[in-house]
């Protein structure tokens, strides 16, 4: 069973930036990976994904502000650069990984392996 570890998060004022990191330990050498978030009282939302070839997908809510990237040397590590943060970005953030070559809906919660959450709080 691979272990998915997230780091980063914290508190920032509106307009600020934060960077999250995620690494998968064990299992396969490459993964399709995604970022999700869940605010209190709301459903988990897929916000960004990156496939094994480096192609990315974003939710409209973060497009143009957030950037997902992968470590070039370690295909099991990825990052989420979050810029121009807004109070509505406040949520618990999760990363997810899946060894399948194809995910039909990369922003859906259909990933096999998940990290613990990390809190991101944006104050106005």
């Amino acid at each position: 069973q691979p272990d998915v570890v997230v780091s980063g998060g914290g508190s920032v004022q509106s307009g600020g930036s934060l960077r999250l990191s995620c690494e998968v330990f064990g299992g396969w050498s490459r993964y399709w990976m995604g970022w999700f978030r869940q605010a209190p009282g709301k459903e988990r939302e897929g916000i960004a994904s990156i496939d094994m070839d480096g192609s990315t997908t974003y939710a409209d809510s973060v497009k143009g502000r957030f950037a997902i990237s992968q470590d070039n040397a370690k295909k099991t590590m990825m990052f989420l650069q979050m810029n121009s943060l807004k109070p509505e970005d406040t949520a618990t953030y999760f990363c997810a990984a899946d060894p399948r070559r194809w995910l039909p809906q990369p922003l859906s919660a259909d990933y096999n392996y998940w990290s613990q959450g990390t809190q991101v709080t944006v104050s106005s």
Side-chain angles (χ1 to χ4, degrees), residues 45-78:
E45 173 191 20
I47 57 174
S49 77
I50 186 164
D51 70 14
M52 295 183 186
D53 297 321
S55 295
T56 58
T57 303
Y58 293 95
D60 289 342
S61 58
V62 305
K63 200 173 291 183
R65 300 186 299 122
F66 291 10
I68 187 172
S69 62
Q70 199 169 54
D71 187 285
N72 287 331
K74 298 169 71 173
K75 297 298 184 183
T76 57
M77 188 168 190
M78 70 165 178

Side-chain angles (χ1 to χ4, degrees), residues 13 15 20-21 30 32 36 38 51 60 64 73 78 88 103 106 116 122-123:
Q13 289 192 325
L20 304 180
S21 300
R30 302 177 76 180
W32 193 310
F36 293 76
Q38 189 166 18
D51 70 14
D60 289 342
M78 70 165 178
E88 51 263 45
L103 293 183
Q116 297 294 319
V122 184
S123 57

Side-chain angles (χ1 to χ4, degrees), residues 28 95 105 111 121:
W28 292 262
C95 67
Q105 294 182 299
Y111 285 72
T121 302

Side-chain angles (χ1 to χ4, degrees), residues 35-39 41-47 92-96 107-109 114-117:
W35 288 100
F36 293 76
R37 66 185 182 186
Q38 189 166 18
K42 294 189 177 182
E43 292 188 355
R44 188 169 295 191
E45 173 191 20
I47 57 174
T92 301
Y93 284 68
F94 303 85
C95 67
L107 296 184
S108 72
W114 291 82
S115 70
Q116 297 294 319

Side-chain angles (χ1 to χ4, degrees), residues 74-87:
K74 298 169 71 173
K75 297 298 184 183
T76 57
M77 188 168 190
M78 70 165 178
F79 310 95
L80 184 69
Q81 179 65 42
M82 303 184 291
N83 299 324
S84 302
L85 282 161
K86 306 174 182 179

